[in-house]
Amino acid sequence: MEVTEHGVKVGGIRHKSPVDSWHGEWAPGPDPERRDYASLADFAGPDGNTWVLQEIGFRHPQGAADAQPLP
């Protein structure tokens, strides 16, 4: 992640489980199906504000049609 290359500490990636309901819990790691807006991570800026990152537009690299999502 580019922000970590600049010394920003980003929290662990998590996803909503179940993703299609507001009821439930957070599960560690990216959404197994890599759906848009389902995987989140957060970090705090130098002024103490908390920011949330959401994954959108995930596409497997070219030639990796059979690739599995990362754990």
Side-chain angles (χ1 to χ4, degrees):
M1 204 182 290
E2 189 173 325
V3 295
T4 60
E5 295 171 6
H6 294 281
V8 176
K9 293 182 181 180
V10 178
I13 298 171
R14 63 193 184 281
H15 67 279
K16 192 77 173 101
S17 181
V19 72
D20 46 354
S21 171
W22 285 109
H23 302 286
E25 302 291 329
W26 293 105
D31 175 65
E33 295 181 34
R34 302 302 286 261
R35 292 173 277 207
D36 285 350
Y37 306 105
S39 300
L40 308 166
D42 51 26
F43 67 94
D47 55 2
N49 292 324
T50 301
W51 296 83
V52 178
L53 305 170
Q54 289 184 300
E55 179 181 55
I56 62 169
F58 175 81
R59 303 293 176 262
H60 288 289
Q62 185 175 15
D66 297 325
Q68 296 297 311
L70 298 174

